[in-house]
């Protein structure tokens, strides 16, 4: 019989500890200490209580927990001395049925890992969907994690231990993230479409208006119909638009969505999560035969990443009336204009048709967007959700430092005008200056010595600057200081300087009342509230220009890596994001009933 939360909350401490037995390998103290925080409002609250206990424990206690785990496909498995939970997990992952070669390879990895880190490799082999990683995924992860620094890997092992405990806890409580699982599966399913050249290598690349891109749009539209949307269509720029009507014809609508295009060799969740999560909410409403006093309009934006054409936020820009007419004549790498690409995709390819997509903000309550975090913060804090306070302001420069190329052997150190060293000095300063703010970031992502040689002092250095901060004022101060330091360094070193500003975007602070709705939605789930800025740009930035907006972030695994095939999210976290979105809809329904 599965345990209920009520039983756990009401049991004596001894009984309750018994109920949670086996969650953490040979370490009942974690659950026992967490039980002091009863009653728990939700499983998510209980999970977080255990996370907090372990986070506050000493490093020795954390290491003891890690060392209490068996090696993957290790001696304990062979001698059948694993705990029942571990046996079950390793069997499901197929580790009890390795070929002799696979087994030998895993033993070798175990030995290397132990020698480097001094503790066993811990992996939640049931994976982000709970149904088990393949042997190939397990071995690839093992090989990758061998390269991590020790402190990072210790923290990563603890995260996997929490994931293992989460799945064991779900099993004990007979809880299955049913919606999260199906939304997770929608991502897998959509990822079968990929552009030629990438598809063959098993990589996900969906750029604007390719055949794979059109196939994605058709799939999303079909799924919207299955979910019970009243109207579904693909608009003149390729956005997939689904509307679920409110209880009255004149009901205002909530606008939501994100993009379905990807970067080259990208992840499966970037953008798509923000389309599928509200679709799952509509599916629930439709299944319950419910209408809210507001309409729900979900848009799968056709283009956000600017990969095929230099036109980022094209999809959301069309809704705000910011489609740049010159884009239609822009050519891709193969010389195909955007107009031709549109017509090839069966779209009109005319400014007139695109102009009709502009939305009248007065008919909308606002815009919300769910997005995978694309950063390490939530993963590090072991939190499933984060509420976005602001999308960072940014500014970008392309620069060139010009010194004097001279002989590397004969030019004394005090006579050099080394352009690359000047930029190196700036790089160190930029790092320190941005760090001092706490939440600013500064990146020199491109740094070249054009025509450089091993035996020549760099005469020129071309480099980029990307500066971001949560507010325009903070970005401006960061920019001012870094440019001033750059000029000072160059003057001191006798270096000439050219700078060209290539992009400037204003911060998009969340509308306070919308941010508050997300905060209430997250708190209602028993999940601790964490507010954070968004370092990356999102479609919400565009909609921000015409209506109030706020975003919800969902934790990414593997340190939150994104724009990378390792991007991942658990079906448990996705389920929480669907529940948070449903809660936000209920809040809006209540507000608009009177
Ligand atoms: Zn995105």
């Amino acid at each position: 019989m599965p345990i209920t939360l009520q039983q756990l909350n009401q049991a004596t401490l001894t009984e309750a500890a018994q109920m949670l037995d086996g969650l953490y390998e040979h370490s009942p103290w974690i659950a026992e200490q967490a039980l002091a925080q009863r009653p728990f409002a939700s499983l998510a609250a209980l999970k977080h209580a255990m996370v907090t206990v372990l986070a506050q424990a000493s490093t020795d206690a954390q290491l003891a927990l890690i060392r209490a785990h068996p090696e993957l496909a290790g001696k304990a498995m062979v001698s059948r001395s694993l705990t029942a939970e571990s046996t079950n997990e390793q069997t499901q992952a197929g580790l009890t049925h390795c070929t002799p070669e696979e087994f030998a390879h895993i033993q070798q990895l175990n030995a290397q890992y132990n020698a480097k880190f001094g503790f066993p490799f811990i992996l939640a082999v049931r994976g982000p969907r709970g149904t088990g990683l393949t042997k190939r995924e397990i071995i690839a992860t093992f090989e990758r994690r061998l390269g991590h620094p020790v402190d990072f890997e210790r923290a990563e092992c603890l995260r996997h231990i929490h994931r293992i405990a989460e799945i064991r806890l779900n099993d004990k409580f007979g809880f299955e993230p049913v919606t999260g699982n199906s939304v997770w599966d929608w991502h897998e399913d959509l990822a079968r479409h990929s552009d030629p050249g990438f598809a063959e290598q098993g990589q996900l690349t969906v750029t604007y208006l390719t055949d794979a891109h059109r196939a994605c749009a058709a799939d999303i539209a079909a799924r919207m119909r299955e979910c019970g949307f009243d109207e579904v269509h693909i608009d003149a720029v390729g956005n997939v638009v689904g509307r679920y009507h409110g209880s009255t014809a004149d009901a205002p609508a909530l606008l939501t969505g994100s993009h379905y295009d990807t970067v080259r060799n990208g992840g499966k969740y970037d953008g798509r999560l923000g389309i599928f999560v509200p679709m799952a909410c509509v599916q629930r409403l439709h299944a319950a035969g419910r209408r809210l006093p507001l309409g729900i309009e979900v848009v799968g934006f056709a283009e956000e990443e600017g990969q095929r054409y230099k036109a980022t936020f094209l999809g959301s820009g069309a809704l705000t009336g910011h489609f740049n007419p010159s884009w239609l004549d822009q050519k891709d790498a193969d010389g195909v204009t955007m107009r031709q690409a549109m017509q090839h995709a069966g779209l009109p390819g005319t400014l007139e048709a695109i102009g009709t997509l502009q939305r009248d903000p007065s008919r909308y309550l606002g815009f919300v967007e769910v997005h995978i975090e694309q950063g390490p913060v939530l993963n590090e804090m072991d939190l499933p959700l984060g509420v976005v306070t602001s999308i960072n302001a940014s500014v970008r420069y392309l620069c060139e430092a010009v010194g004097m190329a001279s002989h590397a052997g004969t030019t004394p150190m005090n006579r050099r005008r080394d352009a690359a060293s000047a930029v190196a000095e700036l790089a160190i300063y930029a790092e320190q200056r941005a760090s001092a703010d706490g939440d600013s970031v500064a990146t020199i992502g491109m740094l070249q010595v054009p025509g450089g040689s091993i035996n020549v002092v760099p005469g020129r250095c071309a480099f980029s600057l990307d500066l971001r901060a949560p507010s325009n004022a903070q970005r401006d101060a960061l920019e001012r200081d870094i440019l001033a330091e750059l000029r000072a360094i160059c003057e001191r070193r006798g270096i000439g300087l050219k700078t060209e500003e290539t992009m400037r975007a204003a911060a998009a602070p969340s509308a306070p009342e919308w941010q508050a709705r997300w905060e209430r939605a997250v708190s209602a789930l028993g999940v601790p509230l964490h507010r954070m800025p968004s370092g990356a740009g999102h479609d919400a930035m565009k909609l921000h220009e015409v209506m109030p907006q706020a975003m919800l972030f969902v934790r990414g695994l593997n340190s939150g890596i994104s724009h990378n095939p390792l991007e991942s999210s658990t079906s448990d976290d996705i389920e929480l994001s669907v529940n948070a979105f449903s809660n936000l809809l209920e809040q809006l329904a209540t507000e608009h009933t009177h």
Side-chain angles (χ1 to χ4, degrees):
M1 275 291 284
I3 309 163
T4 67
L5 202 56
Q6 195 188 10
Q7 285 169 341
L8 185 82
N9 283 332
Q10 291 173 351
T12 65
L13 185 60
T14 316
E15 286 168 352
Q18 191 58 41
M19 290 175 186
L20 299 185
D21 183 47
L23 289 183
Y24 289 88
E25 206 86 356
H26 304 299
S27 305
W29 57 273
I30 299 168
E32 280 164 19
Q33 287 184 29
L35 285 168
Q37 293 175 44
R38 286 184 298 169
F40 296 111
S42 64
L43 278 186
L46 167 57
K47 288 171 188 173
H48 187 73
M50 295 189 292
V51 163
T52 309
V53 168
L54 190 55
Q56 288 167 354
S58 67
T59 305
D60 283 348
Q62 294 174 347
L63 281 170
L65 170 64
I66 295 173
R67 292 192 180 116
H69 281 74
E71 282 189 336
L72 209 63
K75 291 180 216 77
M77 190 190 80
V78 177
S79 65
R80 302 189 182 281
S81 58
L82 294 177
T83 61
E85 290 86 354
S86 285
T87 303
N88 181 19
E89 287 150 11
Q90 298 212 10
T91 306
Q92 279 202 14
L95 290 172
T96 45
H97 296 95
C98 288
T99 65
E101 293 75 30
E102 285 167 340
F103 189 72
H105 185 44
I106 294 176
Q107 297 322 307
Q108 190 196 8
L109 290 169
N110 273 329
Q112 281 178 309
Y113 189 95
N114 258 306
K116 174 170 177 182
F117 299 108
F119 46 80
F121 173 70
I122 314 283
L123 175 68
V125 290
R126 279 178 61 186
R129 168 69 159 80
T131 36
L133 299 170
T134 63
K135 259 184 294 191
R136 228 187 68 202
E137 287 173 308
I138 291 170
I139 291 170
T141 307
F142 208 154
E143 289 167 343
R144 179 168 50 80
R145 282 175 49 189
L146 259 174
H148 285 160
V150 177
D151 283 351
F152 178 86
E153 195 51 26
R154 191 182 69 226
E156 184 71 2
C157 282
L158 295 177
R159 287 191 281 271
H160 278 271
I161 287 170
H162 286 310
R163 174 63 183 156
I164 292 166
E166 172 168 60
I167 294 171
R168 290 175 179 177
L169 188 74
N170 289 350
D171 289 349
K172 277 180 185 291
F173 282 75
F175 168 75
E176 200 192 329
V178 177
T179 309
N181 284 345
S182 72
V183 174
W184 198 93
D185 293 342
W186 295 352
H187 288 88
E188 277 303 298
D189 189 48
L190 193 65
R192 74 187 194 283
H193 303 297
S194 185
D195 289 350
F198 298 92
E200 298 82 347
Q201 302 177 62
Q203 297 180 353
L204 178 64
T205 301
V206 177
T207 58
Y208 190 47
L209 297 181
T210 59
D211 291 347
H213 186 267
R214 303 325 303 136
C216 285
D219 272 21
I220 295 168
R223 201 170 300 282
M224 281 179 171
R225 290 190 189 97
E226 275 170 30
C227 286
F229 280 80
D230 299 298
E231 293 173 49
V232 178
H233 74 280
I234 295 173
D235 75 16
V237 295
N239 294 330
V240 188
V241 182
R243 293 193 177 103
Y244 187 67
H245 296 160
S247 45
T248 57
D250 61 344
L254 172 69
L255 190 61
T256 183
S258 193
H259 60 99
Y260 66 88
D261 67 324
T262 75
V263 296
R264 297 192 168 85
N265 195 18
K268 295 170 186 166
Y269 301 88
D270 179 3
R272 295 158 177 211
L273 187 68
I275 307 169
F276 287 148
V277 165
M279 280 168 60
C281 294
V282 167
Q283 186 182 39
R284 281 180 178 175
L285 289 171
H286 180 253
R290 282 188 66 200
R291 294 282 169 187
L292 302 180
L294 59 134
I296 303 168
E297 182 172 329
V298 181
V299 185
F301 294 114
E303 207 287 335
E304 190 259 6
E305 302 281 10
Q307 299 283 305
R308 184 173 176 188
Y309 297 98
K310 283 189 188 126
T312 43
F313 302 112
L314 183 154
S316 45
L319 270 58
T320 61
H322 291 98
F323 184 91
N324 183 340
S326 71
W327 285 344
L328 282 180
D329 297 311
Q330 209 187 100
K331 289 179 181 157
D332 70 1
D334 298 321
V336 180
T337 65
M338 190 185 287
R339 184 182 290 105
Q340 287 166 336
M342 284 178 167
Q343 286 163 353
H344 174 78
L347 307 175
T350 64
L351 286 176
E352 194 187 6
I354 295 165
T356 64
L357 306 183
Q358 187 173 352
R359 299 296 196 271
D360 171 4
S362 70
R363 299 191 46 225
Y364 292 92
L365 297 167
F367 179 80
V368 292
E369 181 174 357
V370 176
H371 207 284
I372 192 160
E373 183 204 331
Q374 302 186 285
V377 176
L378 294 173
N379 191 234
E380 253 168 36
M381 298 180 76
D382 272 306
L383 291 174
L385 303 172
V387 176
V388 176
T389 51
S390 175
I391 303 172
N392 280 355
S394 58
V395 64
R396 288 182 187 160
Y397 284 91
L398 285 176
C399 312
E400 188 173 42
V402 183
M404 176 63 76
S406 59
H407 198 292
T410 61
T411 319
M413 295 312 287
N414 61 0
R415 315 271 169 83
R416 294 183 177 208
R417 290 165 58 205
D418 184 330
S421 292
V423 180
E425 210 183 317
L426 178 76
I428 301 297
Y429 173 79
E431 204 172 64
Q432 289 164 350
R433 174 61 184 80
S435 304
D437 282 349
D439 49 6
S440 293
V441 288
T443 307
I444 296 182
M446 300 191 293
L447 196 157
Q448 286 137 2
V449 177
S453 294
I454 194 165
N455 57 355
V456 177
V457 175
R460 288 197 300 149
C461 182
F463 64 102
S464 61
L465 266 178
D466 177 306
L467 312 177
R468 309 186 196 206
S471 71
N472 293 347
Q474 188 175 322
R475 174 208 54 195
D476 293 346
L478 177 73
E479 177 189 15
R480 201 167 48 238
D481 288 356
I482 287 177
L483 290 181
E485 182 69 14
L486 175 59
R487 281 188 289 270
I489 292 168
C490 288
E491 193 161 319
R492 175 159 43 76
R493 289 172 169 267
I495 304 282
L497 182 65
K498 283 182 248 177
T499 58
E500 184 200 349
E501 182 185 310
T502 55
M503 196 275 272
R504 182 177 293 267
S510 301
E513 71 278 19
W514 286 90
Q515 185 185 322
R517 288 187 186 102
W518 277 131
E519 291 176 0
R520 286 192 290 271
V522 168
S523 299
L525 300 174
V527 172
L529 180 60
H530 180 68
R531 302 180 182 94
M532 59 190 298
S534 168
H538 293 291
D539 289 299
M541 269 175 110
K542 288 309 292 180
L543 276 306
H544 179 82
E545 294 166 14
V546 296
M547 60 180 83
Q549 61 78 28
M551 293 184 69
L552 179 73
F553 274 168
V554 181
R555 159 171 59 187
L557 303 180
N558 304 318
S559 302
I561 196 164
S562 188
H563 289 184
N564 185 302
L566 287 173
E567 181 186 82
S568 185
S569 183
T570 67
S571 57
D572 284 273
D573 288 357
I574 292 176
E575 172 104 358
L576 288 172
S577 68
V578 174
N579 291 342
F581 203 109
S582 292
N583 183 288
L584 179 126
L585 289 173
E586 296 300 337
Q587 291 179 49
L588 291 170
T590 308
E591 291 168 30
H592 290 271
T593 300
H594 310 291

